[in-house]
Every structure is written in C-alpha cells, then in structure tokens.
Amino acid sequence: MKANKTSPFPGFFKSISLSMKQFISFFMKPEDVHKLLLNLANNSSDDFVPILINPFDPMLLVKDIGLIHPILKDVEYQNRSGFPIIDYIYFLFIKNLNLLKGIQPKLSKNMGGITFANGEDWKRNRKIGLRVMNDPQFLEYSVKPILTSTDEMIEAMKKSNEEVYKINQYIGQLGIDVVGKLVFGTNLNIFKEDRENKEENINSKKLSHSVRTMLDAIQKYLYRPFPAGFYSLFKSKQIKELDSAVYNLALTGTILLDKVKNEIDRNNMTDTQECLSAIIYKNYPELDDTEIQAILMDLLGAGHDTTANLVVFTLSLILEANLLDSSEELQKEIKAISNILPVYGETEENMNYRNILETIEKNSPILSSILNESLRLYPLGAVFSRISLNNKKNYTIKGKKNYYLKPKTKLLISPYATGRSNNDWGENSDSFEPFRFLENEKKPEAFIPFGVGKRSCIGGRFGILEAKLILFRLFQLCTITKDTSFQPTDSLLAFTLRTKHDIPVRIGYNQ
Ligand code: HEM
C-alpha cells in the first residue's frame, strides 16, 4: 500500500521546536529529558519527534497514541534497543558469575535476562518471568514477607526516634529487604541493628549500597555516547565503584542461589519454597546457574526501583493533597483493609493469605485509583525503547496518516508524555485528581505506564500488590503527616523516575 506521508527523517531538524538552550541542556543533563518530553508532547504537532539524547544515536519519539498501540503490538517492533552502560553491567555480571564458578567466561552480545535481551533468549526468559511473577502461589506467598519487612521498617523508624523522617530513604531500603525474602527466601535484616545475615554471611549494608551504586551509575551514564567496551578500558572512580558493586551482586547472588539449590536438593525447603529462585530452579531444569542469575538480576533491576518509587510518589501525592484527612472514602478503605491484615505477635498465625491477596487486589478501588493517577503523572518507566527488526525494507504504520520507517529505526515511547498530554487528559493534565480512574470504567489508551503488547511489563500486577501492601500497612500502623519542609511532588528522570526531593514526614505510631 502506498503511504501518503514519506519517512519522517527528512524533516528531522525542522520539526524540533526547541530553543538552543534546551537543546544543549538535553545533552548535558539527562534528568531534564522528561521535561523536554513534556514540552514536546504538548507543543509539537508532529506524530513523530526526532530525539537526540545521544548525538550518535538518533531516535524518534512516537507522540501520537494512535500510532503507539499498533507499533507496540506489531512483531516487527518487538526488539528493544539497549543502552551501552546496561550492556556493560550485564557483561560484567555474567563475567563475574562465570569466574566465581571457575568457568572461563563465554561472552556473547545477547547477555541474557529479559529486559534488554532480544531474539530467542528473550522469548524463553520472558515466558519464564511472566509465569513466575504471576503465579498465584508466589503472589500469595509474598504477602507475609512484604508485611513483615514493612513492620521491621516501622520498628526501626520508631527506634531511631527521629523527629522528621526522610521516608523515601526508608522505603528504598524496604524494597531491597523484600527482594531478599522474595527472590532468595532469605532475611537480609536490613532494618536490624546487627545488619548481618549470619547464616549466609551476607553483609546487607554492602548489598544495598551495591544496588544503589549500580542504579546511580546507570543514571549517570545512561545517555553517554560511548560504546559498552569503553567502560572496560577507561575506569573513572564511579566505574571502579560500579565494578565492585556488580562483583558484590554476583557474589551475593551466587551464595544465595547455592543455598536455595542445596535446600531443594536435600529436600529441606521450609518456608522458602515459593521464593522466585526456588520456583525457577525447580521448574526449569534446562537453565544453568548463570541463566537463572541473569533472570533474577533482571527482576531485581526492573522491579526494585520501580516499585519502591511508586510507593514514594504515591505517598508524596497523598500527603500533598491531604487525602488522609480529607477523603472519607480513603479512610474507610484503610479501616476495612486494616481489619483483615494480621498483626504479627498478636493475631493467630493461621492466616488466610489467599483471602488477603484477593481483597487487596480486587477490593481496594480507592487506593487502586490513586495508584493509577500516580502512575499517570509519574510513570516509573518514563521512557522505553524499541528497534525494528531488519526483515522489512520499509515499515508502514497506518495511523491518521501513513508513515514509512526505515529498517532499524529506533523508537522511543514515553508514558510520561502520553500521561500528560492535554489532548488526551484535558487542560489540567498536570494536576493530581486521585479519583479520576474511579470514574473511568475503561482506562484511556494514553495510560501506558506498563507499556503495551509483546514487551510490556511482566511485573505490574506484583508491583501494584507490593505498593498497596506497604501503603496499607503504613496507614494501619502509623499516623503520617508532612513536615513543614515538605515540597510539592516533582520528579527526576534517572533510569527510572525518582522524586526530586526527599519526602520529610512526621510519624505517630498507632500501636
Ligand atoms: C510497579 C511499577 C512498575 C512499572 C511502572 C513498570 C514499568 C515497566 C515498563 C514501562 C516497561 C517497558 C514496557 C515496554 O517496553 O512495553 C517494563 C518492562 C519490564 N518490567 Fe516493569 N514496571 C514495574 C514493576 C516491575 C516489577 C515489580 C517487575 C519484576 C519483578 C518488573 C519487570 C519487568 C521486566 C522483566 C520488563 C521487561 C519486559 C520485556 O522486555 O519483555 N517490572 N516495566
């Protein structure tokens, strides 16, 4: 079919309606990228907008939501285009795993995992990830560890006796504590004074430092125009720190996976049998340790920061809008959910966790709506990428107008831009309307915080469950008010979206 519009490339620079200053700051400060996306979303009339995050790697931002859905659902666009710093981290991680096992590293371009893998490896690993993250038994099993870790965090805050808490920092740590339990069935004791996990000899302080170091390095180097090999040769101080952080993650993963495997092999699993590493080891004997570790690392990478920040943004928005005081509906829902949550040490241990899971998932419409609105304004995966397969000469997209895209065209999709476009959400698209999603029976097409189609997020259901459990638990056991130093919610684009400011709160303890 003949398209009535030619490739968007010829109009490349013409359509950038940015001042030079913005354009230059684009190269210099990756954290400004999302402001720019917003500007483009509302001020450019083009369906595709050329983006030069990396001057050697042009991408097209797909702006029109009518084009985003067909592209993301098309197999032609099921590959993701990667980032050199992430390729380097995978490379280092796999190399360290191999060296720890005394195996000479065999390194390929496609390093495994899910998020940045392509081709057959991606297909197989995604199927595994999708199955385990949505396994009802795993979801049911995760309720107790999430609640107990949150309890430990609250206990630690109480003990610290601070007047004002930077609660975002506590929640970041909480995310890692939960990962320890859910991925490896081990208690990292992040919130205990004696922070060692003696049994497995894991230093949890060092572990959470390694996760932070890795995320910070990704943030800093994400848009740098160097190939992955550059980081193997030129070691800045931060890259050296990254190297030892990745080594520590590989070492910790190896110790913990070996423990889980030993327990399974000796038929000695206790309450850890539903953790992710156990489920994968038991159900996928065809995977070797390195392949299992790459999937687990991916789940940590894609799941930890996103979920922790979802809790932080949502809490910030709730406090900013004074919803805990002003919304009777929210108060009622918190009360109803508090009635079914166990209080450890007081409630009978024989809890029906399936019932808790189902009630939290299906019967908390107010918090669901607030979380969706939080995801609309602050989608943690604020931009994601695609690259076309090479098997068509020109790819035709049929939208309002038809387009030809050249083979290997890199596309960028931004849930941040689609979530704030005035066309889709009205003139007040920037304002927080907590009950917006209660009124919409069907979610608007422009709401895509988990992506769409064949590469959409596999952990969304779990992420929402974890966020709800943490928030309900906090509201059940604490009275949280914002401190006078609280600043309106705002974001920075790191690899994922983070809050721009700390969230300073005062806490009263209900029990
Ligand atoms: C709760 C907040 C979360 C948000 C907002 C979020 C968002 C996203 C987005 C936007 C993508 C890209 C989708 C696309 O390319 O179409 C993605 C992919 C992915 N997410 Fe999430 N995510 C969240 C939580 C999680 C969790 C908890 C996990 C797992 C533990 C997870 C695992 C993944 C994986 C493995 C992918 C890559 C899928 C693929 O490439 O096939 N995510 N996520």
Side-chain angles (χ1 to χ4, degrees):
M1 181 191 168
K2 192 162 175 359
N4 57 21
K5 177 125 175 152
T6 49
S7 156
F9 278 104
F12 211 93
F13 287 100
K14 259 193 300 184
S15 55
I16 299 180
S17 54
L18 299 170
S19 72
M20 201 59 187
K21 192 163 155 250
Q22 274 172 313
F23 195 64
I24 290 166
S25 76
F26 204 11
F27 288 96
M28 295 169 73
K29 285 164 71 190
E31 63 266 26
D32 282 343
V33 170
H34 69 292
K35 293 278 181 272
L36 209 75
L37 292 173
L38 180 57
N39 186 348
L40 291 170
N42 285 323
N43 297 331
S44 160
S45 59
D46 291 350
D47 294 338
F48 289 90
V49 185
I51 293 277
L52 287 177
I53 289 176
N54 169 339
F56 303 106
D57 195 14
M59 288 179 147
L60 288 173
L61 172 77
V62 192
K63 227 206 73 187
D64 181 52
I65 195 69
L67 291 170
I68 289 177
H69 283 266
I71 290 175
L72 293 181
K73 284 178 190 154
D74 195 321
V75 282
E76 182 65 16
Y77 264 95
Q78 71 181 18
N79 275 5
R80 202 182 292 289
S81 93
F83 295 94
I85 188 66
I86 291 176
D87 290 345
Y88 173 71
I89 290 173
Y90 268 103
F91 176 92
L92 207 63
F93 183 67
I94 304 289
K95 183 173 149 187
N96 281 317
L97 286 176
N98 282 322
L99 289 174
L100 282 164
K101 294 262 176 214
I103 304 168
Q104 273 305 315
K106 275 195 288 170
L107 298 170
S108 63
K109 198 166 180 285
N110 211 348
M111 296 304 298
I114 306 171
T115 314
F116 290 98
N118 284 323
E120 289 307 312
D121 274 2
W122 162 71
K123 259 190 206 153
R124 180 196 64 181
N125 293 349
R126 180 178 167 95
K127 221 169 161 184
I128 296 171
L130 206 53
R131 204 210 117 203
V132 296
M133 290 311 299
N134 296 287
D135 178 341
Q137 236 157 303
F138 168 67
L139 292 169
E140 185 181 330
Y141 158 80
S142 37
V143 174
K144 186 174 177 186
I146 295 170
L147 289 176
T148 54
S149 283
T150 311
D151 287 359
E152 283 163 25
M153 177 186 82
I154 294 172
E155 206 43 47
M157 292 197 295
K158 208 176 193 176
K159 266 200 188 144
S160 78
N161 224 355
E162 290 164 70
E163 210 168 301
V164 178
Y165 300 88
K166 289 177 180 163
I167 199 162
N168 50 311
Q169 295 181 359
Y170 279 93
I171 288 167
Q173 299 274 302
L174 172 61
I176 296 175
D177 206 56
V178 170
V179 165
K181 289 178 184 166
L182 295 187
V183 176
F184 293 110
T186 199
N187 196 343
L188 296 171
N189 292 329
I190 295 258
F191 297 110
K192 296 278 160 67
E193 267 156 36
D194 176 7
R195 284 156 152 244
E196 306 293 302
N197 172 324
K198 295 244 164 51
E199 220 179 304
E200 270 77 55
N201 225 356
I202 303 294
N203 180 334
S204 56
K205 199 171 172 195
K206 197 167 160 197
L207 180 63
S208 50
H209 180 73
S210 299
V211 174
R212 192 78 266 148
T213 305
M214 181 175 76
L215 294 170
D216 287 348
I218 292 176
Q219 174 185 9
K220 178 158 177 197
Y221 295 101
L222 194 65
Y223 300 121
R224 294 282 161 95
F226 312 122
F230 176 87
Y231 302 105
S232 302
L233 297 173
F234 299 99
K235 302 278 179 197
S236 64
K237 188 166 167 265
Q238 193 165 3
I239 294 294
K240 281 187 195 153
E241 281 168 11
L242 173 66
D243 287 2
S244 57
V246 175
Y247 173 77
N248 187 38
L249 289 171
L251 177 64
T252 309
T254 303
I255 295 171
L256 292 176
L257 180 62
D258 282 350
K259 180 206 83 171
V260 170
K261 281 172 52 185
N262 278 338
E263 285 178 9
I264 293 175
D265 294 345
R266 285 189 283 118
N267 224 348
N268 195 19
M269 294 301 286
T270 47
D271 54 345
T272 59
Q273 54 203 336
E274 305 303 341
C275 72
L276 288 177
S277 52
I279 298 178
I280 296 178
Y281 179 63
K282 278 189 292 189
N283 291 298
Y284 299 96
E286 68 276 21
L287 297 183
D288 66 25
D289 283 9
T290 308
E291 289 166 324
I292 296 179
Q293 292 278 19
I295 295 175
L296 295 176
M297 169 78 163
D298 208 300
L299 298 180
L300 169 76
H304 154 66
D305 215 35
T306 43
T307 309
N309 284 320
L310 173 59
V311 175
V312 172
F313 274 114
T314 308
L315 191 55
S316 180
L317 289 164
I318 288 177
L319 292 171
E320 189 179 340
N322 289 322
L323 280 188
L324 290 167
D325 292 328
S326 64
S327 165
E328 260 177 49
E329 292 90 339
L330 180 60
Q331 288 163 7
K332 260 195 221 152
E333 192 169 286
I334 292 172
K335 211 163 167 215
I337 299 291
S338 297
N339 285 337
I340 62 157
L341 294 182
V343 177
Y344 295 107
E346 286 177 24
T347 320
E348 284 287 309
E349 249 313 290
N350 279 340
M351 292 301 302
N352 183 343
Y353 283 103
R354 177 62 61 102
N355 176 42
I356 298 178
L357 171 69
E358 283 176 1
T359 311
I360 295 270
E361 285 201 317
K362 296 192 192 127
N363 218 353
S364 52
I366 306 291
L367 191 55
S368 293
S369 175
I370 297 173
L371 282 164
N372 281 336
E373 180 68 347
S374 168
L375 284 165
R376 177 183 76 81
L377 289 170
Y378 300 104
L380 298 315
V383 279
F384 56 84
S385 64
R386 290 287 192 280
I387 184 164
S388 66
L389 298 169
N390 209 8
N391 52 11
K392 277 189 196 167
K393 269 201 176 149
N394 273 330
Y395 173 70
T396 312
I397 308 171
K398 296 172 198 147
K400 281 180 295 196
K401 305 163 210 150
N402 289 349
Y403 287 96
Y404 290 136
L405 291 182
K406 291 179 178 172
K408 290 284 169 196
T409 301
K410 289 183 181 176
L411 299 180
L412 212 60
I413 319 294
S414 171
Y416 185 91
T418 63
R420 289 172 183 248
S421 90
N422 296 342
N423 272 351
D424 295 294
W425 303 95
E427 275 311 302
N428 295 332
S429 63
D430 267 352
S431 64
F432 174 59
E433 287 177 26
F435 308 120
R436 185 195 294 271
F437 284 85
L438 271 182
E439 286 136 30
N440 281 337
E441 247 173 56
K442 204 167 162 280
K443 293 194 186 101
E445 278 209 317
F447 182 70
I448 53 164
F450 296 108
V452 173
K454 300 194 179 303
R455 288 214 79 136
S456 61
C457 179
I458 61 165
R461 180 175 174 193
F462 173 80
I464 296 278
L465 172 71
E466 181 175 345
K468 281 186 173 177
L469 280 166
I470 294 172
L471 287 166
F472 276 130
R473 190 56 149 192
L474 272 170
F475 299 146
Q476 178 192 17
L477 300 182
C478 306
T479 305
I480 306 177
T481 46
K482 52 184 189 244
D483 182 59
T484 46
S485 57
F486 181 94
Q487 298 182 61
T489 314
D490 200 356
S491 59
L492 280 179
L493 184 74
F495 177 41
T496 55
L497 218 57
R498 288 187 198 163
T499 47
K500 191 165 181 177
H501 318 289
D502 284 324
I503 315 294
V505 299
R506 290 172 181 264
I507 298 186
Y509 299 97
N510 301 343
Q511 329 218 338

